[in-house]
């Protein structure tokens, strides 16, 4: 079996080059039509500001950030949010699963998901929760990998160009 064309690691702090590389990845996903909290067009300034905010949370231990890099640079990422109410110390939210258009459909999304689940276990978490566009690429990824579908909320969010979309909530016991 051939080795993966990418490597995965957890970052415990981010430098400026990594913040800009993650901003490029986010912009690529939003331009590709992904509903990941941002509207189109996503400016570089807003994308960089978002990752600076994430970087603060990573340094503070409020988030775990995993990244994937290939020969061309940053090609995937996912986060776990640990900064939750004090009665939920056993769980995390899984957010911002992003794979660059150039590396999709090669198993990187599944690899990031497995790595995030392992990281959550290592951090003592026993329950993960996430939401995804109903019927979208992310929803198929989570269902294929054993996440339990809780239900749909129609019209929960907007796609980057403004059309309403439903959201499906999932959980996974670790
Ligand atoms: C959702 C997302 C993360 C999936 O990433 P990915 O790396 O393409 O995921 P995978 O490669 O593991 O799986 C994607 C598809 O490729 C298929 N696949 C995986 N490895 C493959 C291979 N070696 N050869 C052929 N197909 C393969 C999978 O079966 C899956 O098929 P399906 O979509 O028809 O069900 C990616 O599409 C993305 O970043 N989208 C934009 C952002 C987004 O929407 N994120 C989700 C937020 S909830």
């Amino acid at each position: 079996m051939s080795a993966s064309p990418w490597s995965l690691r957890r970052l415990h702090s981010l430098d400026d080059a990594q913040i800009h590389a993650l901003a490029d990845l986010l912009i690529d996903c939003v331009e590709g039509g992904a509903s990941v909290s941002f509207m189109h067009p996503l400016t570089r300034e807003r994308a960089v500001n978002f990752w600076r905010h994430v970087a603060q949370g990573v340094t503070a231990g409020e988030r775990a950030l995993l990244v994937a890099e290939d020969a061309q640079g940053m090609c995937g990422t996912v986060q776990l949010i640990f900064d939750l109410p004090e009665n939920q110390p056993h769980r995390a939210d899984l957010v911002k699963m992003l794979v660059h258009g150039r590396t999709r459909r090669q198993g990187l999304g599944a690899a990031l998901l497995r790595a995030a689940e392992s990281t959550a276990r290592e951090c003592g978490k026993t329950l993960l929760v996430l939401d995804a566009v109903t019927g979208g690429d992310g929803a198929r990824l989570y269902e294929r990998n054993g996440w339990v579908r809780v239900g749909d909320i129609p019209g929960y969010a907007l796609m980057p160009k403004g059309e309403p979309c439903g959201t499906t909530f999932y959980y996974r016991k670790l």
Side-chain angles (χ1 to χ4, degrees):
M1 201 166 77
S2 62
S4 303
W6 56 72
S7 59
L8 297 186
R9 64 186 168 131
R10 180 175 173 186
L11 297 181
H12 292 274
S13 64
L14 280 88
D15 63 26
D16 232 44
Q18 289 164 331
I19 286 174
H20 280 268
L22 286 163
D24 285 340
L25 175 56
L26 179 60
I27 290 169
D28 175 80
C29 288
V30 174
E31 283 182 353
S35 174
V36 284
S37 310
F38 295 95
M39 300 303 289
H40 178 85
L42 173 58
T43 63
R44 165 157 287 279
E45 186 188 3
R46 285 181 61 232
V48 166
N49 284 343
F50 169 73
W51 287 107
R52 287 203 195 290
H53 169 74
V54 171
Q56 285 170 4
V58 167
T59 308
E62 295 167 352
R63 292 171 185 244
L65 173 69
L66 304 183
V67 298
E69 289 151 303
D70 65 6
Q72 293 175 65
M74 201 71 86
C75 58
T77 185
V78 67
Q79 292 172 52
L80 295 168
I81 296 187
F82 299 143
D83 184 25
L84 297 175
E86 65 183 19
N87 67 344
Q88 298 161 36
H90 55 291
R91 73 167 197 92
D93 287 329
L94 188 146
V95 301
K96 293 288 175 294
M97 163 75 78
L98 306 171
V99 170
H100 195 283
R102 72 172 185 270
T103 39
R104 293 217 185 128
R105 306 192 64 80
Q106 298 172 41
L108 178 51
L112 283 163
L113 193 57
R114 283 192 299 271
E117 291 169 2
S118 297
T119 300
R121 273 189 208 96
E122 285 160 20
C123 294
K125 305 299 173 186
T126 54
L127 178 67
L128 292 177
V129 175
L130 65 76
D131 65 77
V133 172
T134 302
D137 292 345
R140 283 200 309 286
L141 171 68
Y142 308 126
E143 288 181 20
R144 203 167 48 245
N145 286 282
W147 284 63
V148 180
R149 181 182 181 132
V150 179
D152 303 343
I153 302 180
Y156 185 86
L158 300 178
M159 298 301 285
K161 295 200 172 160
E163 324 86 87
C165 63
T167 292
T168 303
F169 286 80
Y170 295 89
Y171 73 89
R172 182 156 171 78
K173 282 174 134 179
L174 299 176

